[in-house]
Amino acid sequence: GEDVEQSLFLSVREGDSSVINCTYTDSSSTYLYWYKQEPGAGLQLLTYIFSNMDMKQDQRLTVLLNKKDKHLSLRIADTQTGDSAIYFCAEIPSYNTDKLIFGTGTRLQVFP
Amino acid sequence: DTEVTQTPKHLVMGMTNKKSLKCEQHMGHRAMYWYKQKAKKPPELMFVYSYEKLSINESVPSRFSPECPNSSLLNLHLHALQPEDSALYLCASSPSTGGDGYTFGSGTRLTVV
């Protein structure tokens, strides 16, 4: 099927780390993405990882990829209130490379 | 220029109106997309244009009509919409299909009354 799963909600204290998890559908997916969406806004690309990588770090963001389990995670270090948003993972599956399939989205709430 | 620009940002239309959403990019991308996003849901693909030709129509009702007049522009023509079509309509582009570099616009929030 085409269900990319994420947990619905995550609440963290400011300054702590956040880990958002994603289970995708196609172990042969070439690119996997993380997008951020603030209320009423469009999608902001945070980072992406190519399928031949296990990890990618970009400032406060660390992406881990486990192809065997089709599991993707996004770690945000030193989480700030401005990180409060909905986070979507997305994949380009090998069976349809014209299509970007989004996960269900995780709402991250950061409290002081 | 690394942006995808969508106009208008907000649109309210009646069920008998005809309106168009516009999307523009100047990054030289050859693939452009329309997505629909309902509240609290992930975006869902509607159409894909590759090299100005329609390559995917995700069984979208004919009251939505896409058009790609050139490699930088993508339109979505709307006619006889229903209230359930109210949503955020997102345009995206990428250098080609299947690769990286997906860039989304900020969307048009459409309300059908």
Side-chain angles (χ1 to χ4, degrees):
Chain A
E2 291 193 347
D3 291 338
V4 180
E5 300 287 343
Q6 297 179 239
S7 51
L8 279 178
F9 188 76
L10 177 65
S11 180
V12 300
R13 187 179 299 276
E14 192 174 18
D16 287 351
S17 293
S18 309
V19 179
I20 302 171
N21 294 304
C22 169
T23 303
Y24 58 97
T25 64
D26 181 12
S27 57
S28 299
S29 286
T30 50
Y31 288 92
L32 295 136
Y33 299 81
W34 283 104
Y35 286 90
K36 175 184 179 183
Q37 188 173 37
E38 298 186 47
L43 293 167
Q44 175 193 353
L45 176 65
L46 290 177
T47 187
Y48 69 92
I49 189 166
F50 190 54
S51 58
N52 68 352
M53 301 168 67
D54 296 325
M55 186 183 87
K56 181 178 180 181
Q57 187 153 2
D58 184 359
Q59 299 182 331
R60 292 191 297 124
L61 305 179
T62 303
V63 179
L64 295 178
L65 176 60
N66 179 334
K67 289 188 289 292
K68 174 176 166 290
D69 295 335
K70 293 184 283 188
H71 186 261
L72 181 73
S73 68
L74 174 70
R75 178 177 180 270
I76 305 172
D78 187 24
T79 313
Q80 303 296 308
T81 54
D83 295 323
S84 294
I86 298 178
Y87 290 79
F88 291 100
C89 63
E91 64 173 334
I92 295 180
S94 59
Y95 56 82
N96 189 341
T97 57
D98 285 352
K99 198 167 178 175
L100 186 61
I101 299 174
F102 285 88
T104 46
T106 299
R107 180 177 294 277
L108 173 65
Q109 182 176 24
V110 183
F111 57 93
Chain B
D1 188 351
T2 58
E3 288 187 346
V4 174
T5 303
Q6 289 189 243
T7 55
K9 293 197 181 309
H10 300 274
L11 178 63
V12 179
M13 61 184 290
M15 289 187 283
T16 58
N17 291 159
K18 285 186 182 181
K19 296 286 185 184
S20 296
L21 309 185
K22 297 188 183 302
C23 175
E24 191 168 3
Q25 57 87 15
H26 296 289
M27 295 178 279
H29 288 178
R30 302 312 300 270
M32 297 187 76
Y33 313 80
W34 281 114
Y35 284 80
K36 174 182 178 180
Q37 186 180 25
K38 300 284 279 184
K40 301 187 191 306
K41 296 290 186 183
E44 293 181 338
L45 182 67
M46 300 174 72
F47 302 104
V48 180
Y49 272 83
S50 180
Y51 290 85
E52 298 153 56
K53 293 194 185 312
L54 182 65
S55 62
I56 291 183
N57 176 341
E58 290 283 287
S59 303
V60 179
S62 60
R63 58 186 184 268
F64 295 91
S65 175
E67 179 198 19
C68 189
N70 60 56
S71 60
S72 299
L73 293 174
L74 184 66
N75 299 320
L76 186 63
H77 303 299
L78 314 173
H79 174 54
L81 294 194
Q82 303 297 309
E84 60 263 29
D85 297 320
S86 298
L88 181 68
Y89 288 84
L90 293 161
C91 174
S93 70
S94 63
S96 62
T97 57
D100 63 353
Y102 256 87
T103 304
F104 280 82
S106 54
T108 294
R109 188 160 299 281
L110 174 68
T111 303
V112 181
V113 297

